Amino acid sequence: MGLADLETVDLVSSDPEGGEELHVIAGAGWPVEDEALYHVQLLIKIAGVLGYAESRRAEGKRSTVTVWGPDEPPAGVLEYLRSKGVRVLTGDPGSRQQASGRVPRIPNLPDGQPDINALQAANAANFARRHGLDGSVESLPRLDEILEARRAEHGLGPDDVDEDFTDGDLIVLGGAYAGEVMRAAVGGTWALGPHGPLGPVHLRVGTMSANVLGKVHKYLQHGAAESVSGMVTFGISELNGH
């Protein structure tokens, strides 16, 4: 339960009239040093929750969405969630109140949308700092090695498959790093969209869209057959006309 569980609704409550409230729990709060990570995790998670709420409404159910955390979220998070009709609460679980927001490290764009390029650049820098990477295309095999080590820590061998295995921190940080390496090589921009096959956070480069976060997730589940390094280097080669 929490923002790192990218594909789940944390809690569902019902009222006597048959309505339901979908709860997203930001249980770790909003520490400044991890603001970009938690912000992007929330964007991914809330896209799925909002999509589920819409499907419930299509079935005739009254479905609302609430995000709660123990401390004030960055003002950009609050602005974006409210634009989506999401209620945002803060404080102790027994005395929740409407959030008012705090000064963000990475503010939203003038149109109120998250600055997804700045957020993912910060996440890529975080990942590079943690693992001593230099942002080059040549560093990408090391990303695969880090993912394989995480699989081994989970008890998976090189040929093992676990469709349920996930790591929301590594998906966002490793995916951001792979995407920023690609951007440095061939340009492009991060895109934020609805829940779908490409994922709500993906990379657009010319006519190509790359679901690098999804590829990290696939590697965690399937291993080297889903090489992130191979996908990114192939994409760079294609865009360079090789």
Side-chain angles (χ1 to χ4, degrees), residues 46-204:
I46 206 69
V49 173
L50 289 171
Y52 176 74
E54 186 61 32
S55 71
R56 297 290 283 167
R57 294 185 196 110
E59 297 169 358
K61 296 283 187 180
R62 182 167 53 83
S63 187
T64 59
V65 179
T66 296
V67 172
W68 170 82
D71 56 7
E72 290 291 345
V77 169
L78 184 60
E79 179 184 21
Y80 180 75
L81 291 175
R82 284 180 173 169
S83 76
K84 299 295 184 181
V86 175
R87 188 169 65 133
V88 187
L89 302 177
T90 189
D92 294 332
S95 57
R96 295 176 299 171
Q97 58 191 3
Q98 294 289 333
S100 57
R102 64 157 173 81
V103 175
R105 174 173 282 187
I106 300 175
N108 283 356
L109 297 169
D111 64 359
Q113 290 294 300
D115 190 345
I116 193 66
N117 284 325
L119 290 166
Q120 287 295 75
N123 283 325
N126 184 351
F127 187 81
R129 187 169 56 252
R130 292 184 184 191
H131 297 285
L133 303 178
D134 63 5
S136 66
V137 174
E138 291 74 22
S139 72
L140 287 171
R142 176 64 184 137
L143 171 57
D144 281 356
E145 291 173 2
I146 292 165
L147 297 177
E148 193 61 52
R150 181 67 182 92
R151 281 170 45 83
E153 183 181 291
H154 184 65
L156 296 174
D159 299 322
D160 293 336
V161 173
D162 183 350
E163 296 283 358
D164 296 323
F165 181 40
T166 187
D167 183 324
D169 290 353
L170 195 48
I171 288 169
V172 170
L173 296 176
Y177 183 79
E180 286 296 301
V181 169
M182 194 169 187
R183 288 184 71 202
V186 292
T189 186
W190 289 97
L192 175 63
H195 186 72
L198 276 174
V201 175
H202 57 274
L203 195 64
R204 288 181 185 161

Side-chain angles (χ1 to χ4, degrees), residues 14-35:
S14 302
D15 60 41
E17 288 74 37
E20 63 183 12
E21 188 170 11
L22 311 177
H23 300 267
V24 172
I25 310 298
W30 297 96
V32 172
E33 62 274 14
D34 287 321
E35 181 178 312

